[in-house]
Amino acid sequence: STSKDAQRRPYVWVGKGATPYDGFDFFGTFENYDEEVYSYLSPRILEYGGTRYLIFGGFYRAEDKVAGQRHYQRMMICKLESPTRFATKVSVISEPDKNWEIDGKVQIQEGPFPIVTPGGTLYVAYAAGQTNSNEYCTGLLRFTGSASDDLTDRTKWTKLPEPLQFLDYENRVYSPGAMVFVPEPDGTGLWGIFHVKLYPDIGYSHRVLFAQP
């Protein structure tokens, strides 16, 4: 759904060939998806330790989204049996409890992007706070278990106490968020790609892409 207040379900497109240029067929919703979850936002497929997962932000239950009263988006994950079928119920692994994740009645974790370091440590970057504010920012979760541990185990996730990126008035960086990582062409490093507003107090307008090594 594209409605901001409607329940969002997880859908799948299946590739027709070996490359994205071969086109896609619409599959529909994931089979066996957890219907108790009210809204799936920005889901990503993650493979770690030989197991495939779906990680996303969103509203865990309908009471997390009450217009004018509550907007509470958590970070959630589940195991996948296949690219089109859930293997488990959804588990919450993190909630917005830091002041930089909270703007009045709006508490947000969304847009997860997983990254594994050369040493094998799994991090998940995510956007936090109110999207149309100056303080929208980038948080970071770290998985403290090993590759053989279950990513749905909330006790093995920790949140960095401060955001990876935040508002910087001196350098005119407003609302940095929605971070994704891409490798250097030669594989020697990573670049972060994210959006920033050019001016303060402009809502959703004038957002541009930035890159940072």
Side-chain angles (χ1 to χ4, degrees):
S1 170
T2 57
S3 169
K4 65 180 181 180
D5 293 318
Q7 184 180 23
R8 291 173 167 89
R9 297 176 174 85
Y11 290 89
V12 180
W13 290 80
V14 178
K16 295 180 178 180
T19 76
Y21 302 105
D22 296 322
F24 293 85
D25 288 322
F26 182 62
F27 180 84
T29 59
F30 276 88
E31 296 174 326
N32 196 39
Y33 80 92
D34 189 344
E35 296 188 44
E36 292 185 276
V37 174
Y38 183 70
S39 193
Y40 293 76
L41 303 174
S42 303
R44 294 188 185 275
I45 290 180
L46 159 66
E47 191 164 324
Y48 188 72
T51 301
R52 190 180 288 119
Y53 298 85
L54 188 77
I55 186 168
F56 59 98
F59 304 118
Y60 186 52
R61 296 292 185 260
E63 55 266 28
D64 286 341
K65 180 68 174 80
V66 180
Q69 300 180 41
R70 182 174 169 84
H71 187 112
Y72 195 84
Q73 292 179 208
R74 317 168 200 234
M75 196 59 57
M76 294 172 272
I77 196 169
C78 70
K79 289 183 181 180
L80 294 178
E81 181 179 316
S82 75
T84 60
R85 183 177 178 84
F86 278 29
T88 65
K89 288 284 203 178
V90 166
S91 298
V92 175
I93 57 171
S94 182
E95 301 189 38
D97 54 11
K98 301 294 185 183
N99 59 0
W100 42 271
E101 298 174 309
I102 301 169
D103 184 358
K105 297 175 182 177
V106 176
Q107 297 170 253
I108 289 178
Q109 293 180 334
E110 63 185 9
F113 193 92
I115 185 72
V116 180
T117 68
T121 302
L122 170 63
Y123 290 91
V124 173
Y126 65 93
Q130 176 72 280
T131 315
N132 65 356
S133 74
N134 296 334
E135 291 83 24
Y136 195 57
C137 61
T138 303
L140 200 63
L141 300 175
R142 179 176 181 265
F143 185 66
T144 60
S146 68
S148 61
D149 289 324
D150 190 343
L151 296 188
T152 67
D153 183 352
R154 182 172 181 163
T155 66
K156 289 184 168 59
W157 287 94
T158 186
K159 183 192 303 180
L160 271 64
E162 300 296 333
L164 183 66
Q165 297 174 303
F166 196 64
L167 167 70
D168 185 346
Y169 277 115
E170 182 177 349
N171 292 303
R172 299 180 65 185
V173 175
Y174 309 105
S175 194
M179 170 79 80
V180 301
F181 296 95
V182 296
E184 290 270 12
D186 61 5
T188 58
L190 290 172
W191 284 75
I193 310 296
F194 53 96
H195 64 62
V196 167
K197 295 175 186 174
L198 296 177
Y199 311 100
D201 307 318
I202 56 173
Y204 298 99
S205 302
H206 297 285
R207 289 194 285 190
V208 296
L209 285 180
F210 274 48
Q212 181 177 344

